């Protein structure tokens, strides 16, 4: 596990505790596991971050921080992973979620043209909304489960590899 590489990029816990958007969590940010990168906190942080990345909402980082605190997993990793959903990847990810949701619900995918307007969102919620949301939550859950177990396995083999090299 590239723990040392990840730790280089992790921000200072004191800086994050004093961040204006994270101050609302108060003393909850004092839990040591929120800032530790270990075999218990890393898999959960990946699961939380990837699940929230698939939720189509603004301020995903705040939700990821709240869930990281609730589940007592690494906060910086969970918050950083929501940036997988960014303006470049979002159209592809959400279109894939819509197609999957339509397949799950047994609905024929409709052609649509995105417009950045509230009126378009209101009218689309009834037509493509259910398929889109089912696809987002399905992909979020699947990615979270896969990430959780993949990080657990990678962590285990990383430790075994270190012990093997240490014994040589």
């Amino acid at each position: 596990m590239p723990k040392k590489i990840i730790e280089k990029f992790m921000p200072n816990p004191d800086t994050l505790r004093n961040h204006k958007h994270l101050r609302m969590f108060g003393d909850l940010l004092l839990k040591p596991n929120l800032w530790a990168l270990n075999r218990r906190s890393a898999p959960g942080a990946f699961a939380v971050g990837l699940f929230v990345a698939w939720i189509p909402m603004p301020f995903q980082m705040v939700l990821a921080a709240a869930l990281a605190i609730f589940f007592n997993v690494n906060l910086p990793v969970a918050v950083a992973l929501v940036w997988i959903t960014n303006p470049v990847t979002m159209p592809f990810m959400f279109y894939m979620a819509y197609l999957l949701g339509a397949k799950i619900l047994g609905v024929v995918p409709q052609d649509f043209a995105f417009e950045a307007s509230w009126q378009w969102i209101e009218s689309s919620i009834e037509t493509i909304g259910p398929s889109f949301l089912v696809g987002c939550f399905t992909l979020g859950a699947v990615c979270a489960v896969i990430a959780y177990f993949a990080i657990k396995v990678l962590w285990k083999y990383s430790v075994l590899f270190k012990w093997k090299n240490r014994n040589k």
Side-chain angles (χ1 to χ4, degrees):
M1 190 77 207
K3 180 180 176 181
K4 297 205 185 289
I5 295 170
I6 293 172
E7 284 178 340
K8 281 183 191 177
F9 294 105
M10 284 181 49
N12 184 348
D14 293 328
T15 305
L16 288 177
R17 283 185 199 117
N18 297 325
H19 192 274
K20 64 181 178 179
H21 297 298
L22 295 176
R23 266 190 245 142
M24 67 181 164
F25 295 115
D27 289 340
L28 294 173
L29 294 178
L30 300 177
K31 295 179 185 177
N33 208 40
L34 295 176
W35 310 104
L37 194 58
N38 57 44
R39 66 185 171 95
R40 290 180 190 92
S41 68
F46 272 79
V48 165
L50 289 176
F51 180 76
V52 174
W54 282 99
I55 297 177
M57 64 174 275
F59 307 111
Q60 290 173 316
M61 291 183 356
V62 175
L63 179 61
L67 290 175
I69 291 168
F70 180 77
F71 290 112
N72 198 25
V73 297
N74 188 281
L75 181 79
V77 170
V79 170
L81 281 170
V82 301
W83 282 97
I84 288 173
T85 315
N86 59 58
V88 174
T89 62
M90 198 179 304
F92 304 108
M93 289 174 66
F94 286 165
Y95 185 65
M96 185 171 59
Y98 167 67
L99 292 177
L100 177 66
K103 187 170 187 96
I104 290 171
L105 294 176
V107 177
V108 177
Q110 302 175 9
D111 290 335
F112 62 90
F114 175 75
E115 292 177 27
S117 71
W118 187 253
Q119 183 181 4
W120 182 85
I121 291 172
E122 284 180 337
S123 66
S124 296
I125 292 241
E126 296 172 6
T127 57
I128 65 172
S131 298
F132 174 60
L133 292 175
V134 166
C136 284
F137 284 104
T138 302
L139 285 169
V142 167
C143 286
V145 169
I146 290 171
Y148 181 82
F149 289 110
I151 297 301
K152 279 188 93 60
V153 167
L154 287 173
W155 200 283
K156 178 182 176 181
Y157 283 110
S158 172
V159 170
L160 291 174
F161 183 73
K162 283 183 184 177
W163 275 99
K164 186 178 178 180
N165 285 341
R166 186 180 290 172
N167 290 336
K168 285 183 180 179

